Amino acid sequence: NINLKINGLDVSAPAGSTILEAARLAGIKIPTLCFLKEINEIGACRMCIVEVKGARNLVAACVHPINEGMEVYTNTPQLIASRRRTLQLLLSNHDQQCLSCVRSGDCELQQLCKEYGVDDAHYYEGETTHYELDETAAHMVRDNNKCILCRRCVATCEKTQGIGVIGANNRGFDTMIGSAFEMGLGDTSCVSCGQCIAVCPTGALYEKDYTQQILDAIADPDKYVVVQTAPSVRAGLGEEFGYPMGTDVEGKMAAALRRVGFDKVFDTDWAADLTIMEEATELLDRVKNGGVLPLITSCSPGWIKYCEHYFPDMTEHLSSCKSPQQMFGAMLKTYFAEKEGIDPKKIVSVSVMPCTAKKFEIGRDDQDAAGVPDVDIAITTRELARLIKRSGIEFTMLPDEKFDDPMGESTGAAVIFGATGGVMEAALRTAVEVLTGEELANLDFTDVRGTEGVKEASYNVAGMDVKVAVASGLNNARTLLNKVKSGEADYHFIEIMGCPGGCVNGGGQPQVSGDVRNFTDVRGIRASVLYNNDAAKPIRKSHENPAIKKLYEEYLGEPGSHKAHETLHTSYVK
Ligand code: HC1
């Protein structure tokens, strides 16, 4: 360890730590704005500047390493004045429509201005910039008038996702974040993952909001409005209402949705079980009949778009299964509509997703089993929080309630879909039992759990070695796919999720400020909600879900049947 003094206190921290990390160990907070651990360590915003005795200039604590005997000061009057000036400069060319800004209340710039007593007066006279909103993408809006050029979005797009469709254009005062040739985001090969939104400290990046359209549909007596909620929403929504990260709010969420006024409150988990039935059947069919292997999961629409854009020669590896969101919508407007005698044209199918790419997915071709879109409106976890607040519901005071039947019944296998490795584990629970004809003694496939970017495992099933791999985050997906393409790896089955850590860390989940995100295992904590939920379920295998069994008996016949293919499967573009 290295010994140093921070603000006169003796501090000891591991060698290689930065001043920021060492200060944190000592319970001293140094403010940051641009810093994102491992991906944006550029020391550019100057909020984290500190004084080091003997150094000629102020140094950026986020990148400056500690040394033995170093003396650091983090909060002198000079530093506070400097940080205030930095904030004043940012505000001098910042759209200050804070009252109605989507990030008001959790904007990192606003928070720092409050902490440092910087009000919204115009400190510096002079030129200001004005940018048009970029609304060309299906899932999000870019508002450069609120951008502070921290480059967190740029780093995430390039390094975490390996995509790099945004970057800094121009120089000096004219610097702005945009796409090459200032194309609209919708005209680039952006995959709609929304990871840029998740890391944006201000209101410069946000999802297209459909909160009001849902309230309008609910108020329309001619509409039958049904909602489904993705596995990960229950693991993140509580954060919007002040619960600690890692709180499961499934019961309160169901209660809130009922009070918002949905005609039925259903669960995407039901369709995740259905996906396993179809996907495990497809896997076994490809293995037995010499089909294209490895089979790769298809539930993450950001991943699908990535595969189509960047690995078009691998689309035949993709499972033909629609995602659970889309399977749900398809069964809602066919099976459920027929059973209840409701005209599918009157149904408004709403999904709540931790994902922004789902907004893009609902508009893909061939996602209309009943001749109308399977899903009409996809909103994020953040939009759901707005919907609940706008509906005047006291979330924390709600009782725990259950989802409606029949499309609210699900198993433990379904809920873990939201964590990287969860789809794989769910599929293995079913595929192994089908292959061996025997009941599994242990349902926990722990090799594919955890938040690492790439995981591999091999299982001996009925005398055959089944090789599997799991990747999350598109840069990791690229690494894995290149191994498959070069022949270095010969897996049977691969799970890929577009967002690092899987849906729990999706681009539509509650934003976590940089100073928390940099020091917290957000993915692991949220994933633990799903694994605990799974462990507590009476039924933990998709093929034992009674509501899914009934669906096959009453409507679809067998998994992989002609009717199942017509309604639950899709195709891809190259
Ligand atoms: Fe996901 Fe899925 S798990 S893609 O991560 O397969 O978004 O949570 O709903 O469709 O079930 C997201 C989550 C979600 C689908 C399922």
Side-chain angles (χ1 to χ4, degrees):
N1 265 17
I2 304 269
N3 301 301
L4 67 158
K5 278 192 190 301
I6 303 182
N7 300 343
L9 285 173
D10 287 322
V11 176
S12 173
S17 301
T18 60
I19 296 175
L20 180 71
E21 288 164 341
R24 192 176 163 91
L25 283 178
I28 296 167
K29 184 176 167 187
I30 299 171
T32 57
L33 253 185
C34 68
F35 177 63
L36 273 190
K37 202 169 162 56
E38 283 162 15
I39 59 167
N40 205 38
E41 302 187 342
I42 58 176
C45 75
R46 312 305 291 168
M47 280 310 294
C48 71
I49 37 128
V50 295
E51 285 176 35
V52 174
K53 196 172 171 189
R56 281 217 316 243
N57 298 317
L58 301 177
V59 304
C62 69
V63 288
H64 201 88
I66 54 170
N67 297 314
E68 190 67 31
M70 193 181 223
E71 286 186 42
V72 180
Y73 297 91
T74 67
N75 245 1
T76 63
Q78 187 201 356
L79 289 170
I80 291 175
S82 170
R83 288 183 194 135
R84 291 181 70 158
R85 227 167 10 252
T86 301
L87 292 167
Q88 288 165 355
L89 280 166
L90 285 172
L91 286 191
S92 71
N93 190 24
H94 185 82
D95 172 327
Q96 292 174 35
Q97 301 289 320
C98 298
L99 282 182
S100 56
C101 179
V102 68
R103 293 299 298 277
S104 189
D106 74 344
C107 167
E108 294 179 44
L109 178 63
Q110 188 183 52
Q111 182 63 29
L112 286 168
C113 286
K114 194 167 145 198
E115 283 173 17
Y116 283 84
V118 174
D119 62 28
D120 65 356
H122 293 273
Y123 290 94
Y124 300 96
E125 290 302 320
E127 208 183 328
T128 55
T129 48
H130 179 76
Y131 299 101
E132 296 298 316
L133 297 186
D134 178 1
E135 299 179 283
T136 54
H139 65 299
M140 71 179 282
V141 179
R142 296 183 60 252
D143 180 358
N144 269 341
N145 303 299
K146 290 180 179 164
C147 173
I148 58 167
L149 299 174
C150 69
R151 291 165 171 77
R152 280 160 47 164
C153 56
V154 175
T156 301
C157 187
E158 188 182 317
K159 295 186 186 156
T160 309
Q161 299 298 62
I163 291 175
V165 289
I166 44 173
N169 290 337
N170 308 327
R171 297 214 163 182
F173 185 69
D174 293 327
T175 307
M176 48 94 84
I177 305 301
S179 305
F181 312 113
E182 287 169 27
M183 271 189 293
L185 192 63
D187 301 321
T188 69
S189 39
C190 163
V191 302
S192 307
C193 72
Q195 284 296 312
C196 55
I197 306 177
V199 298
C200 179
T202 71
L205 305 176
Y206 52 93
E207 68 270 89
K208 286 193 171 162
D209 185 294
Y210 292 91
T211 313
Q212 195 55 45
Q213 282 85 337
I214 293 173
L215 290 171
D216 293 345
I218 287 172
D220 183 341
D222 287 334
K223 301 283 187 214
Y224 191 86
V225 192
V226 177
V227 68
Q228 55 163 316
T229 59
S232 300
V233 179
R234 71 209 72 201
L237 181 66
E239 293 165 36
E240 294 278 355
F241 295 95
Y243 288 94
M245 189 179 290
T247 306
D248 186 344
V249 295
E250 180 180 299
K252 287 195 183 341
M253 177 177 73
L257 291 166
R258 208 159 272 131
R259 284 154 182 77
V260 167
F262 287 100
D263 292 297
K264 288 284 177 198
V265 178
F266 286 146
D267 196 358
T268 313
D269 292 21
W270 175 87
D273 280 328
L274 176 59
T275 305
I276 290 300
M277 299 306 291
E278 291 297 315
E279 203 159 77
T281 304
E282 185 181 10
L283 174 66
L284 296 176
D285 176 62
R286 289 201 194 190
V287 170
K288 281 186 200 146
N289 299 318
V292 177
L293 290 173
L295 176 70
I296 311 182
T297 57
S298 57
C299 32
S300 163
W303 146 241
I304 293 297
K305 206 172 171 195
Y306 179 81
C307 186
E308 290 176 334
H309 277 306
Y310 298 90
F311 286 87
D313 52 335
M314 293 194 77
T315 50
E316 67 261 38
H317 289 270
L318 293 172
S319 163
S320 64
C321 290
K322 288 181 181 174
S323 72
Q325 168 183 268
Q326 296 302 123
M327 284 201 183
F328 181 95
M331 288 300 100
L332 175 69
K333 291 193 180 179
T334 56
Y335 167 67
F336 179 79
E338 283 171 35
K339 215 170 140 86
E340 300 290 316
I342 305 169
D343 178 357
K345 293 194 188 70
K346 287 193 169 178
I347 297 179
V348 180
S349 164
V350 176
S351 69
V352 187
M353 295 282 140
C355 176
T356 50
K358 294 283 175 191
K359 290 178 187 286
F360 162 79
E361 184 181 38
I362 63 174
R364 285 183 65 103
D365 286 343
D366 188 25
Q367 302 281 349
D368 47 5
V372 282
D374 294 335
V375 178
D376 298 292
I377 304 175
I379 62 169
T380 61
T381 308
R382 297 185 292 262
E383 286 166 276
L384 173 58
R386 281 173 224 146
L387 183 66
I388 293 169
K389 289 172 187 170
R390 204 172 292 176
S391 302
I393 292 163
E394 271 293 357
F395 189 80
T396 58
M397 291 169 69
L398 292 173
D400 285 342
E401 289 183 5
K402 298 218 168 306
F403 292 105
D404 291 320
D405 284 332
M407 296 171 79
E409 190 164 359
S410 66
T411 72
V415 77
I416 58 174
F417 260 57
T420 168
V423 182
M424 177 60 70
E425 183 167 347
L428 287 169
R429 289 181 192 175
T430 289
V432 172
E433 289 206 353
V434 171
L435 261 177
T436 61
E438 287 166 21
E439 199 164 323
L440 271 168
N442 179 9
L443 292 180
D444 298 337
F445 290 81
T446 48
D447 297 340
V448 293
R449 293 189 183 180
T451 54
E452 304 92 281
V454 179
K455 294 167 276 187
E456 294 174 297
S458 177
Y459 300 98
N460 190 278
V461 185
M464 176 182 152
D465 280 327
V466 179
K467 293 184 192 167
V468 303
V470 172
S472 70
L474 293 169
N475 212 23
N476 294 321
R478 180 193 299 265
T479 307
L480 188 62
L481 292 175
N482 282 334
K483 267 174 97 173
V484 172
K485 270 180 89 164
S486 69
E488 195 188 324
D490 59 340
Y491 308 111
H492 296 94
F493 190 30
I494 296 178
E495 175 204 300
I496 296 182
M497 285 291 175
C499 292
C503 295
V504 285
N505 187 39
Q509 288 285 63
Q511 275 128 330
V512 179
S513 69
D515 57 349
V516 175
R517 175 181 284 271
N518 286 323
F519 298 99
T520 310
D521 176 16
V522 177
R523 306 164 198 180
I525 295 171
R526 288 183 183 156
S528 70
V529 171
L530 305 185
Y531 287 109
N532 290 339
N533 192 311
D534 165 35
K537 288 257 184 180
I539 304 176
R540 297 181 61 204
K541 293 173 270 187
S542 297
H543 54 285
E544 293 182 353
N545 180 333
I548 295 295
K549 286 188 189 169
K550 201 164 164 204
L551 168 71
Y552 279 105
E553 276 161 29
E554 288 182 354
Y555 193 71
L556 292 171
E558 297 293 309
S561 69
H562 181 68
K563 195 158 188 177
H565 268 273
E566 274 187 339
T567 50
L568 302 176
H569 291 251
T570 188
S571 56
Y572 306 102
V573 292
K574 288 200 181 190

